[in-house]
Amino acid sequence: MRVLAIDTCLSACSVAVLDGERTAAWASEPMERGHQERLAPLAREVMARSGLAFTDLDRIAVTLGPGSFTGLRVGLAFAKGLGLALERPVIGLGCLEVLAAPFAAAPGRTLALLPGRGEAVCSQVFEGGTALRAPVLGQVADLDALAPVARIVGAPDLAGEALPGAVRAPASTPDAAVAGRLAAGRRPKPLVPLYMRPPDARLPGGRAPP
């Protein structure tokens, strides 16, 4: 299975190419803005380093959030357009799942945490690589109800003094290579983005963009 994986949901633009179990090429550039300008050139560079052509790919993987409105949609639009052009399936993955996946074999529960709107946090709990609930947008004070948790990943400092017994993993963004490995074994499903807050832009009549 050859997979091109993309993440632009948070503060990085990341692309990886998986050739079976091997990461054929990978790149990640930190950025708060500019994903739209950088993603296509970075994908071409990573594909060139992998030694594969776009037509060699079996599927495309893309993170679906939670994340910023603009960054998330840049990655999703690129993945959908490429999948359509190549006639390849596009597999969507949640950022929280990708962040927790490296700890799937570790004992205990993993809490993946990302900033939400204002002082809210977006969280999801996993055990053995399986999500125990859907992503939830709530307050830090609510996290204690999730105990016991063995570790906190993503943006662990957001937990503050909640869950004091949990190990805080270093802060990180989703790894496109991890997303690619997860996507290799998934069936295609409708691509539904998950935003951490509603978009600031409004259509005529006050409606948010779809």
Side-chain angles (χ1 to χ4, degrees), residues 13-56:
C13 184
S14 302
V15 180
V17 178
L18 282 295
D19 187 358
E21 293 297 318
R22 181 176 69 94
T23 301
W26 176 93
S28 182
E29 299 180 2
M31 61 181 68
E32 297 292 339
R33 297 179 179 85
H35 299 84
Q36 183 170 358
E37 293 78 12
R38 187 61 184 128
L39 178 55
L42 187 62
R44 287 194 296 267
E45 292 165 16
V46 173
M47 285 298 299
R49 292 206 304 271
S50 76
L52 299 173
F54 281 98
T55 51
D56 293 328

Side-chain angles (χ1 to χ4, degrees), residues 8-199:
T8 56
C9 284
L10 300 172
S11 55
C13 184
S14 302
V15 180
V17 178
L18 282 295
D19 187 358
E21 293 297 318
R22 181 176 69 94
T23 301
W26 176 93
S28 182
E29 299 180 2
M31 61 181 68
E32 297 292 339
R33 297 179 179 85
H35 299 84
Q36 183 170 358
E37 293 78 12
R38 187 61 184 128
L39 178 55
L42 187 62
R44 287 194 296 267
E45 292 165 16
V46 173
M47 285 298 299
R49 292 206 304 271
S50 76
L52 299 173
F54 281 98
T55 51
D56 293 328
L57 296 171
D58 295 302
R59 55 181 49 189
I60 317 296
V62 63
T63 50
L64 297 175
S68 69
F69 181 80
T70 302
L72 193 163
R73 290 182 75 89
V74 165
L76 182 56
F78 181 85
K80 290 172 70 174
L82 187 60
L84 184 64
L86 296 174
E87 298 183 338
R88 301 293 191 273
V90 180
I91 310 298
L93 300 134
C95 288
L96 295 164
E97 179 186 8
V98 176
L99 288 165
F103 303 91
R109 295 180 177 182
T110 297
L111 170 64
L113 198 61
L114 289 172
R117 187 174 190 175
E119 296 184 0
V121 292
C122 191
S123 64
Q124 192 172 17
V125 181
F126 299 84
E127 187 167 12
T130 300
L132 301 185
R133 67 173 193 175
V136 174
L137 189 64
Q139 301 299 314
V140 171
D142 301 329
L143 297 178
D144 284 325
L146 302 177
V149 168
R151 66 198 62 82
I152 305 174
V153 301
D157 290 346
L158 292 176
E161 297 180 0
L163 301 169
V167 173
R168 269 65 171 168
S172 63
T173 55
D175 187 335
V178 173
R181 290 189 179 90
L182 291 173
R186 300 287 174 88
R187 293 183 178 180
K189 294 181 179 180
L191 300 171
V192 181
L194 175 62
Y195 302 112
M196 289 188 290
R197 62 184 180 88

